[in-house]
Amino acid sequence: MKINVARSSLLAAIARVRPFVVRKSGVRPVRLVNDNGLVRLETGSIFGNHSADPRWVAYAGVQLVGGGEPWDPVSFDLDALEAAVGLGTDMKVALSHDGTRGEVDGFPVVTCRVAWSIPKQGRTDEKVRVFAQPEELGASLKSVIPFATKEATRYAINGIHVEVGEHGLHVTATDGRRLASTTLDAVVIDGFTGFTLPLGVAKPIASRAVIGLTSQVCLAWNNRTLEGRLGGENAESLWGFAVESNGSPFPDWRSILPKNNGNVAKVSTSELGGAMKGLKPLLPKGKDAFRAVRLAGAYGALSLAVLQGDGSEEHPVPFKVATQAIYGNFDVNVNPDYVADVAKATKGKDLSVSVVDDRTPIVFRPVGDDRFLAVVMPIASA
C-alpha cells in the first residue's frame, strides 16, 4: 500500500477522531480506510464481545493527493502516526505499509493488530433527519452523562437515549436508581423513533474538543443505524459517526413519574448541592458502605441527618437548607451523591423537590424551567 495524502488534512482528521479513541493494550488504535477513493481515518468499538454490544465508528475524511494503490484497512497507533506526520513540513505526506510495518515519509510508524468490531461506514439513505446545534446538544449530553449506568451488561439502558418528542429533542440517561432528562430545540424532518448512543460516542460529542469544531449536527436514522454528521447535512465524508442499534428498547421512563406532585419544597440549587457535598466527610467509607441521608421537610426548612447502616440516625448535622416554600411534610432517605449530581446538572437558580412517600421516585425540576428533570429513587434502611 502506498498513498499520498494532504498533511494538513491528515492532521485535522487525527485531531477530530482523537476524542473517540478507545485505548487498547497500551495503544490508541485507528485505521486508515479507502472506500472507493474516499479516504477516512476511523476509530470505534474495538471490543464487541457480546452480540448486544452496540457497534460504532467515528471517522474523519482525509484528502487524497495524486491517487495511490488500492489497499485493505491498515491499523496504526494514533500517537505514533501523529508524531510521524508532524515531523514533516511538505504539503503532502506519503504513507506506506508492507503488511508488517508502516512508514510516513520514511519514518517508521507503529501498526496494530486489532480485531475491529465496527459497522461499515456507508452513506445512509436518510429519510429521517434531525438537525441540532452542537453547543446545545453537547450541553444536554454533558448534563445527563453522570446519570448513565456504568454496568456494561445492562444493554437496554447502557448509553444516552436521544428521541424526538412534542417539545424538541429529548436526551435521557439512567442507571436504574436515578435518571435525568433534558430537552433542546431541533429541526426534525419526518419521524424519529429514538436511539441510544454509546458512552464512547456521547462523551466526546459533549466535550469542547468536538463541539468547538462543529457548526451543526445532523442525525440520520435508517433501519438499525444512526449516522451523525458533524458539520452539517453534507459533511458525511468529512467528519461523523455511525452506530448500529443493539436492538434493546430504552424503557418507558415516563411511566415511573408520580401522578401527582405530592409534597413540594422549593430550595436554592447551590445551597442544596453544597449541603450534600458538605456531608461527605461524615458518611461511611468503603465500596459497599451504606451511604444515606435522612431528608426531612417541615417548618420551612429541610433538615439533614447522616444514617447508620441499620437506618438509625448517627447524628443530625449542621446543615439546614431554607426553603422558599414548602407544601406538606416529608421524611425520606436519599443517596447524597445522587442529589449532589442533580444540583450540579441543574442550570436553574432554584430547584423544586417533589416527594410523595418513601417508595415513590423523588422528582427534581428547576423552578420555571420545564426543559430539565431528574428522578432519584429513595432508599430503604439497610
Side-chain angles (χ1 to χ4, degrees):
M1 174 273 276
K2 293 182 179 179
I3 60 168
N4 295 321
V5 299
R7 186 180 300 275
S8 60
S9 175
L10 182 56
L11 286 171
I14 290 172
R16 285 170 170 167
V17 303
R18 177 175 287 280
F20 296 89
V21 177
V22 180
R23 180 182 287 274
K24 182 178 176 65
S25 302
V27 299
R28 301 177 185 274
V30 294
R31 67 178 189 173
L32 199 64
V33 176
N34 183 0
D35 184 8
N36 296 321
L38 190 64
V39 181
R40 291 190 179 93
L41 191 67
E42 295 183 346
T43 191
S45 53
I46 58 178
F47 301 102
N49 295 323
H50 193 283
S51 59
D53 290 338
R55 298 196 307 155
W56 60 271
V57 57
Y59 62 88
V62 181
Q63 182 183 354
L64 189 63
V65 179
E69 302 174 358
W71 76 88
D72 293 328
V74 179
S75 299
F76 296 98
D77 172 56
L78 180 67
D79 297 328
L81 178 62
E82 184 176 36
V85 174
L87 289 172
T89 57
D90 296 335
M91 296 295 292
K92 66 180 181 179
V93 57
L95 292 91
S96 63
H97 185 264
D98 63 4
T100 59
R101 64 193 297 268
E103 290 186 353
V104 176
D105 284 348
F107 294 100
V109 181
V110 176
T111 56
C112 310
R113 293 189 178 275
V114 177
W116 294 93
S117 177
I118 60 179
K120 176 178 173 57
Q121 201 288 309
R123 182 176 177 86
T124 300
D125 180 19
E126 75 278 15
K127 297 181 179 179
V128 179
R129 287 175 290 169
V130 180
F131 297 93
Q133 293 303 309
E135 295 85 0
E136 294 183 12
L137 179 59
S140 294
L141 290 170
K142 187 175 181 179
S143 67
V144 304
I145 281 174
F147 299 80
T149 183
K150 306 299 189 297
E151 300 174 42
T153 57
R154 304 191 68 180
Y155 302 111
I157 60 175
N158 191 1
I160 309 299
H161 192 63
V162 180
E163 63 179 334
V164 174
E166 181 180 355
H167 303 293
L169 194 65
H170 301 295
V171 179
T172 308
T174 182
D175 63 4
R177 296 173 291 274
R178 55 187 175 153
L179 174 145
S181 183
T182 186
T183 305
L184 66 149
D185 294 329
V187 177
V188 183
I189 299 183
D190 295 327
F192 185 68
T193 58
F195 202 92
T196 302
L197 288 176
L199 289 177
V201 175
K203 286 182 177 179
I205 296 175
S207 70
R208 292 300 309 172
V210 170
I211 62 175
L213 299 173
T214 306
S215 59
Q216 190 182 59
V217 178
C218 172
L219 303 178
W221 165 251
N222 181 32
N223 194 15
R224 284 174 51 90
T225 304
L226 178 75
E227 197 176 303
R229 300 171 191 169
L230 309 178
E233 179 179 9
N234 298 315
E236 71 278 359
S237 64
L238 299 178
W239 189 16
F241 61 87
V243 183
E244 285 188 356
S245 170
N246 61 15
S248 300
F250 198 79
D252 179 16
W253 58 271
R254 293 176 180 82
S255 64
I256 71 168
L257 296 179
K259 303 304 180 184
N260 57 71
N261 288 332
N263 308 292
V264 180
K266 295 182 180 179
V267 301
S268 163
T269 303
S270 60
E271 288 185 18
L272 181 61
M276 293 298 164
K277 290 181 180 179
L279 295 174
K280 284 191 175 183
L282 304 174
L283 293 167
K285 304 297 190 294
K287 180 179 179 182
D288 298 321
F290 179 76
R291 296 169 62 86
V293 170
R294 177 172 174 262
L295 183 66
Y299 306 111
L302 299 181
S303 60
L304 312 177
V306 174
L307 301 186
Q308 294 179 341
D310 60 0
S312 62
E313 289 189 18
E314 178 176 318
H315 52 73
V317 294
F319 290 99
K320 282 195 175 183
V321 182
T323 61
Q324 301 169 6
I326 189 165
Y327 306 96
N329 300 331
F330 54 85
D331 190 334
V332 66
N333 298 338
V334 296
N335 185 317
D337 299 327
Y338 293 174
V339 179
D341 283 344
V342 171
K344 184 177 180 180
T346 304
K347 302 302 181 184
K349 178 181 177 182
D350 299 311
L351 197 62
S352 168
V353 184
S354 175
V355 182
V356 175
D357 53 42
D358 59 2
R359 299 177 303 277
T360 305
I362 306 167
V363 181
F364 299 83
R365 296 179 187 269
V367 175
D369 180 7
D370 59 359
R371 298 174 70 86
F372 177 87
L373 71 83
V375 175
V376 173
M377 290 298 297
I379 56 179
S381 301

